[in-house]
Amino acid sequence: MTGLWRALCLAVVLTVASAAPSQAHTRSQSSSHWRVEGDALYVRVQADALDVTRLYALGGQAGLEETFRAHAGESFSVSTKGGACTLREAPMIAPAAPGRVAVTLRFDCPTGSLARGVVDLGSTLFLHVASTHLHFVSVTRSDGAEAEDVLTDSRRAATFALQADARAESAWSAFARYVPVGAVHVWGGLDHLAFILGLTLLARGLTAVAIAATGFTLGHTATLGLAAFGVLTPDAVTVEALIGFTVAFVALEAGRDGPDRLTRWSGPLAAVLLVMAALAAVNVLAIATASLAGLALFAVAYPRGFPRGAAAAPWLAAAFGLVHGCGFAGALGDLDLPRPKLLPALAGFNVGVELAQVCVIAAALSVGVVWRRATAGRYAIAQDAVAAALFALGLFWFASRSIGV
């Protein structure tokens, strides 16, 4: 029966991770699609409306579209070997999907410079209000060939070859380009950092943490790949809320009395989740009804079918890694990469995630060793305090994201 419950729990989490069609976990990111026509560069720039609201911190009270239009007009730089390109006119507001804002711009370049050389494209879009912002650039030459790149705060410009005989980007270049993107996605995502820290607290020990990290890698690699290739299309709100749930659940288990507490609370927790599922069914909550029902089943099955305490870390890491994989896939969702480049980009992104994860775990373990040696009697109290803080944070994310805030 134990094995059956365990398999059932894993199946439920996988089902939860693919609850409904939509795009995956979002981060602060935008995209621009450039095309060459003679001596002019035309570009369509789009971003999430939620990101545009960040710009109000810079002042101004105009609407979202006007605010984004003004910001885009001053955020791009374009130059060629023949000289700088100039913005011909103010950006124009363009149609966009619900929840998105888009504008179009035109840059005029020196005569003949685009046909015979390269172009440098720079962007500071959102960087003054979101230092971890990612800007995905796609350039289509006049002969139809495409090139892509990613701009960050530390790399604000990229060079694109526009000659008709320009060599296509190698798989290694695509791989290397997305390693830092994966790392930034983890370091810039407080919820992912909180989960990794909770997992480190739960595993308690270098070997146990290494095994748990391997489980997390296997879990998120599976759904990251499936979501990136379009096999899974998770609901954005559901994934966001479930990531909060994973943080709270692991933090609760990581406390000294966590296993006993979860056993006692599994029934009430399942009841609360079923009530939330009923509210979601009548559109009071934004999260998918099936996901909440699956979590209720998971809450009941977990104390009866899983190892407890530190022994639970690999299982929870693998199961919850499935959810986080759908979240990681969101950073690649807006790229619209050509199929041959998706695999190396995905591999590079995943390596970046792993490197960032290793850095977080190493830092947490180092702090733990120093703290234990300095205050041996207070180490357990400090660990419980951190677990309690992570639990409160995860619970807040789960509740607020379920409502759609």
Side-chain angles (χ1 to χ4, degrees), residues 183-209:
V184 167
H185 188 68
V186 173
W187 288 327
L190 182 58
D191 47 7
H192 294 305
L193 291 175
F195 178 79
I196 294 171
L197 179 56
L199 199 62
T200 304
L201 287 176
L202 177 60
R204 302 180 184 179
L206 182 59
T207 301
V209 169

Side-chain angles (χ1 to χ4, degrees), residues 290-378:
S291 298
L292 291 167
L295 287 181
L297 182 59
F298 177 82
V300 172
Y302 176 77
R304 298 163 178 82
F306 272 67
R308 310 308 305 280
W315 291 99
L316 288 179
F320 290 162
L322 299 173
V323 177
H324 284 255
C326 291
F328 291 141
L332 299 178
D334 289 338
L335 287 179
D336 193 25
L337 288 174
R339 184 64 60 170
K341 294 181 181 177
L342 182 56
L343 188 57
L346 179 61
F349 181 87
N350 200 52
V351 168
V353 168
E354 297 312 315
L355 291 176
Q357 177 181 311
V358 168
C359 290
V360 173
I361 292 174
L365 289 177
S366 299
V367 171
V369 170
V370 172
W371 181 266
R372 180 177 298 198
R373 290 178 178 176
T375 56
R378 300 178 182 176

Side-chain angles (χ1 to χ4, degrees), residues 23 26-27 29 44 46-53 64-65 68 95-102 126 334:
Q23 69 184 92
T26 56
R27 279 286 181 263
Q29 58 191 52
R44 174 184 169 87
Q46 60 179 346
D48 289 332
L50 183 61
D51 275 329
V52 178
T53 62
L64 284 179
E65 292 180 331
F68 185 56
R100 305 278 286 176
V101 181
F126 294 107
D334 289 338

